[in-house]
C-alpha cells in the first residue's frame, strides 16, 4: 500500500490539487451567481441603497446634525465670511428670490433684529454702489455656510489666527 | 268665509283655500307623506352637498388640474409641510380652505373662478403661471393678513409654543411678534411654494394698501 502511494505520489498530489481547485472554483462561481442574482433583482443597478431590493426599505443612516448656537460662531481669520449659526433648510436662493434677504437686507434687518449685510455686497464689479445686493454676491451660500457636527473628512490640526498669535 | 267662496264656484281662490286647508289641518296620511318626502329630500340634498364639499376638499382633487400639480404641488413636495420629523402633513386644503362652515362655503364659491380660469387657460403654461404668480401669491397673502393667518392657526398656536425649545431667533421673534400684534404670514412667506420674482416688493405694496384702507 505504502509502496503504491509512493510510486504514484506525484499523481496523488496532482489529483488532490485538482479536486481542491475544482471545489474552490465551484464555490466561487456559485457565490458569484448569487451576487449576480441579487443584482438582477435590483435591476442590475448597484446604487447607494447597496444590495437592498427595490421593494424593501433601507434603514435611514444617521446623518450629522446642524450646529446651531445663539449669537454667532467665532471667526478663524480676519477675512473669513461669518458662519451661519442657524438652520437654513429649504430657504429659497435662486434667480427669482432670496429668502435670506427677508431678514438680512436693509431695512428688513432692522425689523427682524438680524445682522445687516456688509456694504461691500452692494457694490458691483465696476465699483458702482447699488440699492440691492450685487448679483455677484447674490448666492449667499457660496461663502456663508452652516456648521454640522460631522466628523472631519481628513484629520487635521487647523488653528485659528487667534490661536497662532 | 271660506264656505261662501267655495259655493260661489271652484275658482282659483277656492283651490288656494283648499290647499291651505290641507296644509293647515292635514290628515295623518298627508302629514306622513309630507314628512317622509321632506326627510328623504333633506338627506339627498344635504348628503350630496356635504359629499361634494368633502370631495373637493382633498389634495387629490386640487392636483387633478395640471396648473396646481405641475407648479405649486411639485414645489410643496420639497418642503417641511409635506414630509417632516413628526410625520404630520399639511395638505393644500389645510392651508387654503377654511375649516369653519360659513367661510368654507364662501371660499368654495370663490373657487368657481378657478374653474373659469382653468378653462380660459389663464395659467395653463409654466410661463403664463410665472407671469401671474405674484398676483396669485398677493391674493393669498392679503387673505391671510385679513384672517390673521387663520388656516395656519388651525395647527399652530402662539399659546401652545414652547419658546425654550425653539431656536433662539424664532423664540425671540415670536415673543416680539405677539407684542407687536403680528401674524404668521408677516414673517413666513414662501414656506410651501417657491417665491416669485419681485415678491417682497409686491408684499410691501399690498401691506401699504391695507394700511391706507384701514387708515381711512
Amino acid at each position: 500500500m505504502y509502496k503504491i502511494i509512493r510510486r504514484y505520489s506525484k499523481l496523488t498530489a496532482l489529483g488532490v490539487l485538482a479536486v481542491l481547485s475544482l471545489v474552490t472554483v465551484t464555490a466561487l462561481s456559485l457565490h458569484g451567481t448569487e451576487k449576480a442574482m441579487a443584482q438582477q433583482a435590483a435591476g442590475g443597478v448597484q446604487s447607494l441603497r447597496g444590495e437592498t431590493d427595490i421593494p424593501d426599505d433601507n434603514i435611514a443612516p444617521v446623518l450629522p446634525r446642524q450646529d446651531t448656537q445663539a449669537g454667532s460662531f467665532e471667526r478663524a481669520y480676519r477675512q473669513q465670511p461669518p458662519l451661519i449659526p442657524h438652520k437654513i433648510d429649504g430657504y429659497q436662493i435662486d434667480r427669482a428670490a432670496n429668502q435670506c434677504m427677508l431678514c438680512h437686507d436693509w431695512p428688513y434687518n432692522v425689523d427682524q433684529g438680524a445682522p445687516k449685510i456688509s456694504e461691500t455686497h452692494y457694490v458691483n464689479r465696476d465699483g458702482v454702489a447699488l440699492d440691492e445686493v450685487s448679483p455677484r454676491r447674490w448666492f449667499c451660500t457660496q461663502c456663508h455656510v452652516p456648521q454640522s457636527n460631522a466628523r472631519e473628512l481628513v484629520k487635521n490640526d487647523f488653528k485659528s489666527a487667534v490661536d497662532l498669535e | 268665509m271660506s264656505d261662501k267662496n267655495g259655493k260661489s264656484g271652484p275658482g282659483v281662490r277656492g283651490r288656494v283655500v283648499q290647499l291651505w286647508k290641507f296644509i293647515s289641518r292635514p290628515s295623518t296620511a298627508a302629514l306622513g307623506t309630507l314628512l317622509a318626502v321632506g326627510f328623504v329630500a333633506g338627506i339627498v340634498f344635504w348628503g350630496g352637498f356635504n359629499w361634494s364639499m368633502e370631495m373637493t376638499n382633498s389634495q387629490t382633487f386640487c392636483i387633478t388640474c395640471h396648473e396646481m400639480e405641475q407648479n405649486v404641488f411639485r414645489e410643496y413636495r420639497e418642503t417641511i409641510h409635506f414630509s417632516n420629523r413628526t410625520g404630520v402633513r399639511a395638505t393644500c386644503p389645510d392651508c387654503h380652505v377654511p375649516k369653519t362652515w360659513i367661510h368654507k362655503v364662501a371660499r368654495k364659491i370663490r373657487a368657481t373662478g378657478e374653474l373659469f380660469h382653468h378653462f380660459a387657460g389663464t395659467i395653463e403654461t409654466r410661463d403664463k403661471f410665472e407671469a401671474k404668480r405674484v398676483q396669485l401669491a398677493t391674493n393669498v397673502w392679503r387673505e391671510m393678513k385679513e384672517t390673521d393667518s387663520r388656516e395656519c392657526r388651525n395647527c399652530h398656536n402662539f399659546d401652545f409654543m414652547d419658546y425654550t425649545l425653539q431656536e433662539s431667533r424664532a423664540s425671540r421673534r415670536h415673543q416680539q411678534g405677539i407684542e407687536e400684534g403680528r401674524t404668521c404670514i408677516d414673517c413666513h412667506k414662501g414656506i410651501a411654494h417657491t417665491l416669485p420674482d419681485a415678491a417682497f416688493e409686491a408684499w410691501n405694496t399690498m401691506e401699504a394698501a391695507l394700511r391706507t384702507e384701514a387708515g381711512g
Side-chain angles (χ1 to χ4, degrees):
Chain A
M1 179 68 186
Y2 179 69
K3 267 189 181 162
I4 298 173
I5 290 180
R6 274 208 62 171
R7 182 171 304 159
Y8 298 103
S9 67
K10 269 190 188 148
L11 225 71
T12 326
L14 266 175
V16 168
L17 219 75
V19 168
L20 269 180
S21 53
L22 209 75
V23 167
T24 324
V25 167
T26 327
L28 274 178
S29 70
L30 268 181
H31 185 66
T33 16
E34 243 170 50
K35 238 181 157 173
M37 268 160 70
Q39 279 200 3
Q40 195 104 54
V45 177
Q46 179 70 279
S47 71
L48 289 176
R49 292 166 59 83
E51 283 179 13
T52 311
D53 225 343
I54 286 170
D56 296 337
D57 286 334
N58 232 343
I59 306 231
V62 180
L63 294 175
R65 287 190 184 271
Q66 198 188 307
D67 270 346
T68 58
Q69 79 181 43
S72 54
F73 290 106
E74 271 170 27
R75 292 193 205 196
Y77 53 97
R78 183 184 299 280
Q79 303 83 352
Q80 185 191 357
L83 296 165
I84 304 175
H86 57 71
K87 280 198 307 176
I88 55 163
D89 298 358
Y91 284 2
Q92 176 186 352
I93 308 178
D94 60 19
R95 191 174 56 82
N98 181 331
Q99 284 270 30
C100 311
M101 299 298 159
L102 205 51
C103 289
H104 290 291
D105 192 14
W106 182 86
Y108 303 114
N109 77 297
V110 181
D111 185 27
Q112 297 289 352
K116 183 169 77 74
I117 301 167
S118 157
E119 275 312 312
T120 56
H121 294 44
Y122 294 82
V123 178
N124 73 6
R125 62 176 167 198
D126 301 322
V128 181
L130 311 170
D131 192 36
E132 257 195 352
V133 164
S134 160
R136 61 179 183 159
R137 303 276 194 171
W138 186 251
F139 296 97
C140 316
T141 45
Q142 281 182 324
C143 296
H144 301 280
V145 289
Q147 296 293 292
S148 83
N149 63 359
R151 227 165 4 106
E152 51 208 10
L153 290 172
V154 180
K155 194 90 199 110
N156 69 76
D157 46 16
F158 177 81
K159 282 200 177 63
S160 79
V162 185
D163 290 341
L164 284 175
E165 266 170 13
Chain B
M1 176 93 154
S2 58
D3 278 348
K4 244 187 206 166
N5 281 335
K7 270 170 201 162
S8 64
V12 182
R13 248 203 197 159
R15 295 244 174 77
V16 170
V17 167
Q18 258 180 8
L19 190 69
W20 172 242
K21 263 190 180 167
F22 179 75
I23 295 172
S24 59
R25 253 175 294 132
S27 67
T28 335
L31 191 69
T33 327
L34 210 68
L35 269 178
V37 168
F39 189 65
V40 171
I43 288 179
V44 169
F45 284 124
W46 183 243
F49 179 73
N50 263 345
W51 175 77
S52 63
M53 290 281 274
E54 277 307 309
M55 209 225 19
T56 56
N57 216 21
S58 72
Q59 184 147 301
T60 352
F61 169 73
C62 302
I63 59 176
T64 49
C65 280
H66 72 280
E67 289 100 327
M68 301 288 110
E69 199 273 336
Q70 285 172 11
N71 301 304
V72 275
F73 172 68
R74 295 198 183 175
E75 295 159 5
Y76 146 78
R77 273 191 318 196
E78 309 286 316
T79 70
I80 194 157
H81 285 101
F82 184 77
S83 158
N84 57 53
R85 190 166 59 84
T86 41
V88 183
R89 177 176 289 179
T91 62
C92 327
D94 286 330
C95 286
H96 289 293
V97 184
K99 286 269 183 292
T100 45
W101 195 85
I102 186 83
H103 295 119
K104 181 147 92 180
V105 174
R107 177 68 179 89
K108 294 276 153 126
I109 292 170
R110 255 190 310 117
T112 48
E114 289 180 31
L115 210 60
F116 166 77
H117 284 288
H118 173 66
F119 291 112
T122 320
I123 54 168
E124 61 185 350
T125 65
R126 180 74 189 171
D127 285 348
K128 282 188 180 179
F129 175 71
E130 286 291 352
K132 202 174 177 190
R133 183 164 208 171
V134 180
Q135 192 190 324
L136 299 179
T138 312
N139 292 343
V140 177
W141 289 332
R142 177 178 257 272
E143 195 175 328
M144 288 191 176
K145 279 290 272 192
E146 279 164 357
T147 62
D148 185 13
S149 315
R150 183 183 49 215
E151 275 65 66
C152 312
R153 289 185 292 109
N154 281 334
C155 292
H156 300 273
N157 193 319
F158 275 149
D159 294 342
F160 308 156
M161 286 182 181
D162 182 342
Y163 295 106
T164 60
L165 290 180
Q166 286 184 352
E167 247 184 69
S168 62
R169 59 179 177 151
S171 158
R172 178 173 52 82
R173 286 305 290 150
H174 284 155
Q175 293 174 74
Q176 286 168 355
I178 297 170
E179 294 286 306
E180 297 161 5
R182 310 286 288 274
T183 187
C184 319
I185 198 67
D186 283 338
C187 301
H188 296 289
K189 288 175 272 293
I191 45 153
H193 318 290
T194 311
L195 285 173
D197 215 349
F200 302 155
E201 288 85 342
W203 167 271
N204 291 339
T205 322
M206 185 272 300
E207 248 200 340
L210 274 183
R211 262 197 302 272
T212 41
E213 270 171 39

